[in-house]
Amino acid sequence: MAPLSTQPDIDLMKQVNRQFVTGVTVVTAMDGETPRGLAVNAFSSISLDPATVMVCVQRTSSTHDCLFRAGHLAINILSTEQLDVVRTFAQKSDDKFKDLDWERGPFGSPLIARSSAQMEVEIRERLQASTHTVFICRVVHAAVTENNPMVYSAGKFFDGGALAPLG
């Protein structure tokens, strides 16, 4: 009898993860006077009272160190109007904010226009988890728009407002 594998291979895990529908976020922070950010789908609400969320960022990301040093960051939940934004922030670039409509939130973090929702958060904990840092954050500012959220599944983007209810 062959021994059981203690870890599924990466290709299998990619297939498994493609079955999970996620929202699409861009996490941003200020690096001195320079805005930085990256696309993140590892985001989750932890608690409503007090409002607490988490985001996971790969430590090799060029934005990681800026986020790690920051006291606050923003989580921009992208809308269906922002395919251009997700494509910009999913790749490496020296100035992802060039030609982008954004403003500083109440705590200084970059809030991206046209988003479905935005949160500015205070980083409370930074946990090391294998190749990633898990940022545990308290929400200190939040806003919601009428724009439908963008969702991601199986390598494609979808209109989160057009999902068909079951039952």
Side-chain angles (χ1 to χ4, degrees):
M1 182 161 128
L4 291 176
S5 173
T6 58
Q7 179 175 326
D9 74 15
I10 290 175
D11 289 334
L12 175 59
M13 287 311 303
K14 285 180 181 178
Q15 290 175 6
V16 169
N17 289 339
R18 284 185 187 115
Q19 297 303 311
F20 190 68
V21 176
T22 66
V24 181
T25 70
V26 169
V27 175
T28 58
M30 293 302 294
D31 190 4
E33 290 301 310
T34 304
R36 305 260 186 236
L38 75 162
V40 172
N41 70 354
F43 158 79
S44 182
S45 172
I46 296 174
S47 171
L48 293 176
D49 187 17
T52 307
V53 299
M54 61 162 245
V55 294
C56 302
V57 177
Q58 191 167 7
R59 288 198 310 260
T60 58
S61 163
S62 60
T63 307
H64 176 272
D65 291 349
C66 165
L67 296 174
F68 198 86
R69 290 188 304 268
H72 292 83
L73 57 85
I75 302 164
N76 299 274
I77 299 174
L78 297 191
S79 74
T80 55
E81 300 176 8
Q82 293 178 297
L83 275 174
D84 59 325
V85 174
V86 73
R87 289 185 176 127
T88 296
F89 282 89
Q91 59 190 340
K92 293 189 185 308
S93 170
D94 289 337
D95 188 2
K96 296 177 185 178
F97 287 81
K98 182 182 176 196
D99 302 323
L100 182 69
D101 188 10
W102 68 279
E103 64 183 13
R104 285 183 184 233
F107 295 85
S109 305
L111 300 175
I112 300 173
R114 300 183 290 143
S115 295
S116 178
Q118 304 161 324
M119 284 176 272
E120 198 168 8
V121 301
E122 178 185 15
I123 300 171
R124 292 292 183 94
E125 296 182 64
R126 296 160 181 85
L127 309 172
Q128 300 309 306
S130 186
T131 58
H132 286 64
T133 298
V134 180
F135 295 90
I136 308 294
C137 307
R138 182 75 49 89
V139 179
V140 293
H141 170 76
V144 177
T145 70
E146 295 293 321
N147 298 338
N148 284 344
M150 182 187 308
V151 296
Y152 181 79
S153 181
K156 296 178 184 168
F157 298 102
F158 297 91
D159 182 342
L163 300 175
L166 298 175

